[in-house]
Amino acid sequence: MKKNKLLVVSMAAVLSLSLAGCSSASNSTSTSNNGTVAVKELKGEELNKIEKDDKEKEKYLVIDVRDANEYKEGHVKHAINIPLADIEKHAEHLSAWKDKEVVTICNTGKKSKEAADKLVKAGFKKVSNAQGVKDYKDYEIVKFTTLLAHEFQAAIDKKEGTFIDVREAKDYEKGHVEGAKNIDVKNIDKDLAALLPADKNAPVYTYCYSGNRSSKAAQKAVELGYTNVYNAFDGAKEHEYKF
């Protein structure tokens, strides 16, 4: 009887080790200073759902690692652009996301997988590689450029271009980018065109509380034919901009 019990325990241990080995083989892993971190695979349907949810989207940083021209031709909503070759030197700018959810994406998942591995090696702990934009056809695609806080602040400091503030009027009146024009999100389709410059190649910057309302203004500007439209991913409630 004891021998049978020992045999069962031994077989269970072997099976457990075998399953662990299979699990490790099926996941892409990289080693960081904090141990082994798995790069998760994220289906297009899941990412699409995240990007369409105004609250859920704030928990994720999506990085499109294609070159700038491909990104500008159309990308996943709210994704920033850092080409694969530049991912390591930009890691410092992304340090606030080291313990948060970061998603990499490209056309097919190959370049984004390389980028994901580099981020893990740089110490990022929750990295996912998303299904590519050519593999999943139902992504919501936009053509404005998404900027992180330090990039948007640089644009403010430069004092060039048209700034569209999509916050409520009471908050706009408390403080806003110098020269910014305020618009109600409900009136974007009707009133935005009147606030934009005549030159459709001139830079247009949009911002709000969290990047959600302003993304609607940014996409509308693109639809109106503007070619250099930028939206602040970090809104005024998430980052204290120097207006």
Side-chain angles (χ1 to χ4, degrees):
M1 191 68 174
K2 288 183 179 179
K3 287 183 178 180
N4 288 340
K5 286 184 177 180
L6 286 171
L7 181 60
V8 171
V9 170
S10 297
M11 289 178 68
V14 170
L15 181 60
S16 177
L17 288 171
S18 298
L19 289 173
C22 290
S23 176
S24 297
S26 64
N27 286 314
S28 170
T29 61
S30 296
T31 302
S32 70
N33 293 331
N34 299 311
T36 300
V37 177
V39 175
K40 297 176 290 185
E41 296 298 322
L42 189 65
K43 295 292 186 183
E45 183 180 358
E46 296 175 78
L47 179 56
N48 218 18
K49 187 177 179 180
I50 290 167
E51 292 295 83
K52 288 182 176 181
D53 187 319
D54 288 348
K55 290 185 178 179
E56 192 67 15
K57 147 264 174 184
E58 294 180 21
K59 301 175 185 177
Y60 291 78
L61 176 66
V62 181
I63 307 174
D64 189 317
V65 302
R66 297 176 298 167
D67 64 46
N69 289 331
E70 287 183 293
Y71 173 84
K72 199 165 184 177
E73 286 173 4
H75 57 85
V76 173
K77 188 179 181 183
H78 299 303
I80 66 169
N81 182 219
I82 303 177
L84 173 60
D86 299 330
I87 201 78
E88 289 170 309
K89 67 182 180 183
H90 281 277
E92 184 180 345
H93 290 144
L94 306 175
S95 60
W97 287 89
K98 278 197 171 182
D99 296 318
K100 301 178 184 178
E101 298 284 355
V102 176
V103 178
T104 56
I105 190 169
C106 64
N107 286 326
T108 63
K110 185 177 179 181
K111 287 184 177 180
S112 53
K113 166 63 173 58
E114 290 182 49
D117 284 340
K118 289 182 177 182
L119 288 173
V120 167
K121 289 177 182 177
F124 289 76
K125 298 174 183 176
K126 299 178 181 179
V127 185
S128 298
N129 181 31
Q131 190 172 358
V133 294
K134 286 188 176 179
D135 294 334
Y136 183 73
K137 304 299 183 183
D138 291 330
Y139 278 126
E140 181 178 352
I141 299 298
V142 298
K143 293 188 176 182
F144 57 81
T145 297
T146 298
L147 301 179
L148 291 178
H150 72 281
E151 296 172 309
F152 190 65
Q153 184 64 59
I156 293 172
D157 296 341
K158 198 173 180 181
K159 295 182 179 180
E160 293 180 3
T162 298
F163 287 82
I164 304 295
D165 187 321
V166 197
R167 296 176 300 162
E168 293 179 14
K170 62 179 182 179
D171 293 311
Y172 171 83
E173 289 165 6
K174 290 177 183 177
H176 55 265
V177 174
E178 183 179 350
K181 301 172 182 180
N182 187 219
I183 188 171
D184 188 323
V185 67
K186 296 176 184 176
N187 298 328
I188 285 173
D189 288 342
K190 183 178 68 173
D191 298 342
L192 183 62
L195 302 177
L196 295 173
D199 180 4
K200 293 196 172 181
N201 292 317
V204 174
Y205 297 92
T206 60
Y207 70 99
C208 64
Y209 300 106
S210 61
N212 296 321
R213 293 181 179 187
S214 54
S215 69
K216 295 177 182 178
Q219 185 58 22
K220 182 62 180 179
V222 169
E223 292 169 3
L224 289 170
Y226 289 83
T227 59
N228 292 296
V229 183
Y230 305 88
N231 182 50
F233 177 76
D234 301 292
K237 79 171 185 180
E238 299 160 333
H239 184 82
E240 191 173 342
Y241 291 105
K242 297 176 182 178
F243 292 152

